[in-house]
């Protein structure tokens, strides 16, 4: 154990936004030049596709350049197709970690699960300048291949990073990410070392808990549904409330500390590079293989 606990720095109330073709979602943050959560650019939570909202059209073919998109599903699925020739279904508990590199075109079509809902998350992770034009890469991990550790009322699915000696299946990502789905039984406690200097957030989507450690040693009370931004330190602690479970995704990564220029589905380092992306799309030279 170490002695530099992370405190809660900010609690974000997600905004409701409509993206793609009529997908209603909760956005905790989106790409901006200020880049406050470097290396993370965007975090979306889709959980609102009740039947009353009508058919889900999804995200018809669109480009990405300069980023990674990470889709983690809880319920329902997303059918996808891309310019690398990948076709598949991201089902409940599966993860797709897509590195657009210099250019990919893909479509993402959500489909309801048995309860009529689509639930899941999409995270955008930045790429460093030196890798923005790299070849696209695609990692898909099915639910059964994501290690799950259950101990003392704490259940952790490790997508990326290391928990209790277990390393997640998504590797070789520039941002050196941690990505974990954590479920705590009432009053149980989660502890994780997170490298000093890495941006660290937790998205609480079920229940309530106490996050971080304040000066009195106690955490800050947070209820679903909120994005918790941690300050600096070398570990995080979260305790579920005594009368409620808590479920959250914990995400951390190493900032690149480079200027960024976001433009829709592209995130580059200069305006010239954005103009180039648009020119490449127009000229049919966008897609990298
Ligand atoms: Fe996309």
């Amino acid at each position: 154990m170490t002695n530099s606990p992370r405190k809660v720095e900010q609690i974000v109330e997600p905004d409701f936004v409509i993206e793609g073709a009529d997908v209603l979602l909760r956005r905790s943050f989106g790409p901006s030049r200020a880049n406050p959560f470097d290396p993370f650019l965007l975090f979306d939570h889709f959980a609102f596709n009740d039947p009353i909202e009508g058919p889900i059209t999804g995200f018809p073919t669109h480009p990405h350049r300069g980023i990674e998109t990470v889709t983690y599903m809880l319920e329902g699925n997303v059918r996808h197709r891309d310019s690398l020739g990948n076709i598949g279904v991201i089902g409940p508990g599966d993860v797709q970690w897509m590195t657009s590199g210099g250019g990919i075109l893909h479509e993402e079509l959500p489909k309801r699960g048995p309860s009529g809902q689509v639930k899941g998350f999409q995270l955008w992770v930045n790429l460093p300048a030196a890798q923005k034009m790299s070849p696209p890469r695609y990692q898909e991990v099915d639910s059964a291949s994501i290690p799950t550790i259950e101990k003392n009322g704490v259940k952790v699915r490790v997508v990326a990073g290391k928990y209790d000696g277990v390393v997640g299946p998504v590797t070789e990502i520039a941002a050196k990410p941690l990505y974990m789905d954590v479920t705590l039984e009432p009053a149980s406690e989660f502890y994780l070392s997170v490298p000093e200097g890495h941006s660290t957030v937790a998205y609480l989507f079920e229940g309530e808990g106490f996050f971080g450690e304040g000066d009195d040693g106690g955490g800050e009370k947070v209820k679903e549904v909120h994005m918790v931004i941690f300050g600096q330190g070398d570990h995080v602690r979260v305790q579920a409330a005594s009368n409620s479970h808590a479920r959250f995704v914990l995400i951390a990564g190493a900032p690149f500390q480079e200027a960024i220029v976001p433009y829709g589905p592209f995130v580059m380092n200069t305006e010239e590079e954005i103009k180039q992306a648009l020119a490449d799309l127009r000229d049919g030279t966008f897609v990298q293989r």
Side-chain angles (χ1 to χ4, degrees):
M1 296 262 175
T2 45
N3 56 7
S4 178
R6 286 175 184 256
K7 290 180 191 174
V8 172
E9 192 170 86
Q10 194 187 344
I11 297 171
V12 176
E13 176 97 44
D15 286 329
F16 288 98
V17 296
I18 293 176
E19 272 292 342
D22 300 332
V23 180
L24 178 62
L25 44 81
R26 277 178 161 135
R27 174 161 299 166
S28 295
F29 55 87
S32 73
R33 290 188 188 219
N35 202 14
F37 310 118
D38 182 11
F40 303 116
L41 299 162
L42 167 146
F43 188 85
D44 281 348
H45 172 199
F46 13 96
F48 297 93
N49 300 294
D50 292 314
I52 198 166
E53 289 157 19
I56 303 162
T57 317
F59 303 89
T61 305
H62 58 277
H64 287 291
R65 173 175 282 181
I67 63 169
E68 309 195 82
T69 66
V70 182
T71 307
Y72 178 47
M73 295 304 293
L74 301 171
E75 191 180 328
N77 60 54
V78 173
R79 280 189 305 128
H80 67 90
R81 204 157 59 120
D82 69 35
S83 49
L84 293 174
N86 297 302
I87 297 176
V89 174
I90 312 167
D94 298 348
V95 167
Q96 182 199 71
W97 200 295
M98 196 276 289
T99 306
S100 77
I104 199 166
L105 289 172
H106 73 168
E107 63 180 26
E108 299 158 282
L109 303 172
K111 193 163 168 276
R112 301 174 201 287
S115 77
Q117 299 252 322
V118 179
K119 294 184 181 174
F121 306 106
Q122 190 167 83
L123 170 74
W124 288 13
V125 186
N126 199 15
L127 285 169
Q131 290 184 28
K132 281 197 180 286
M133 294 302 287
S134 64
R137 175 175 176 233
Y138 170 91
Q139 298 186 69
E140 188 159 291
V141 183
D142 67 347
S143 185
S145 305
I146 296 175
T148 302
I149 297 109
E150 276 191 271
K151 221 184 248 184
N152 305 323
V154 178
K155 178 176 158 186
V156 181
R157 305 189 79 227
V158 187
V159 173
K162 189 167 157 184
Y163 177 79
D164 200 26
V166 177
V167 178
V170 175
T171 56
E172 294 166 57
I173 301 294
K176 302 183 178 73
L178 298 175
Y179 191 118
M180 299 179 190
D181 172 2
V182 181
T183 307
L184 303 180
E185 286 174 14
S188 61
E189 191 179 280
F190 171 79
Y191 174 97
L192 184 71
S193 291
V194 178
E196 192 92 52
H198 287 204
S199 298
T200 307
V201 303
Y203 189 77
L204 176 71
F205 59 99
E206 286 177 17
E208 66 182 82
F210 297 88
F211 286 71
E213 286 163 72
D215 294 329
D216 61 357
E220 191 157 334
K221 188 174 185 175
V222 184
K223 289 187 180 185
E224 67 177 35
V225 175
H226 286 96
M227 170 65 80
V228 177
I229 313 293
F230 287 99
Q232 284 304 324
D234 61 13
H235 66 270
V236 296
R237 204 183 280 281
V238 181
Q239 185 173 30
S242 58
N243 59 351
S244 168
H245 82 296
R247 187 172 180 191
F248 56 94
V249 284
L250 184 89
I251 302 168
F256 299 121
Q257 297 177 311
E258 294 174 341
I260 62 164
V261 180
Y263 186 86
F266 317 130
V267 180
M268 302 303 287
N269 300 107
T270 65
E271 279 172 42
E272 276 312 305
E273 290 166 343
I274 294 294
K275 285 184 191 145
Q276 189 61 50
L278 294 167
D280 289 348
L281 261 187
R282 203 167 49 232
D283 300 345
T285 54
F286 181 83
V287 169
Q288 320 274 306
R289 289 177 205 276

